[in-house]
Amino acid sequence: MPTRTARTAWNGTLEEGSGQVELTSSQVGTYDVSFPKRAADDAGGTTSPEELIAAAHSACYAMQFSALIAQAGGTPESLEVSADVSLGPDSANGGFKLTGIKLTVRGEVSGLDEAGFKQAAEDAKAGCPVSKALTGVDITLDAALVS
């Protein structure tokens, strides 16, 4: 399996500086980052490590879940996955930490009942490589079939 690379160029202090994150392997884009916008409710056209983790987690989870649905005898017609990644203070160690990730999935699946769907959803949460990398973060799951 290949190694994927991203690169960040940063200038200035945490509070006044800014940077650009480049998705180097895919070359699909370069995105602005700044700490003040990272901590603000309105991202104002910048991304953040949390948003990038959310993107990675939702994509990884969708892939893992589709594989497990098929292994359970179902057919994933469509899966809509979102990941909400929260940042907050780290009172034990200082600074900040990821305080939680909420995965939400709605799926149109044939060949599985609700119980089979939910079991595959939980197994995907545990088995997705990004979930495994983030075991120090509380990850919750809201999974439901839609028709």
Side-chain angles (χ1 to χ4, degrees), residues 10-20 32-50 87 96:
W10 185 266
N11 297 301
T13 66
L14 176 65
E15 289 82 15
E16 296 172 8
S18 64
Q20 295 79 38
D32 292 334
V33 292
S34 89
F35 185 78
K37 290 187 180 182
R38 178 184 187 186
D41 287 333
D42 181 4
T46 66
T47 192
S48 66
E50 294 73 37
L87 178 71
F96 298 93

Side-chain angles (χ1 to χ4, degrees), residues 64-142:
Q64 183 74 28
F65 191 26
S66 69
L68 294 178
I69 289 169
Q71 286 178 8
T75 302
E77 305 299 335
S78 70
L79 299 173
E80 182 73 29
V81 180
S82 65
D84 299 315
V85 177
S86 301
L87 178 71
D90 184 350
S91 56
N93 300 305
F96 298 93
K97 69 177 185 174
L98 298 183
T99 57
I101 300 173
K102 178 184 179 189
L103 291 171
T104 303
V105 60
R106 298 295 179 261
E108 291 182 42
V109 175
S110 58
L112 283 184
D113 62 9
E114 183 80 21
F117 178 85
K118 290 200 175 207
Q119 184 61 56
E122 287 292 339
D123 292 347
K125 182 183 96 162
C128 145
V130 173
S131 291
K132 290 177 183 180
L134 297 169
T135 56
V137 181
D138 181 39
I139 302 171
T140 60
L141 175 63
D142 175 4

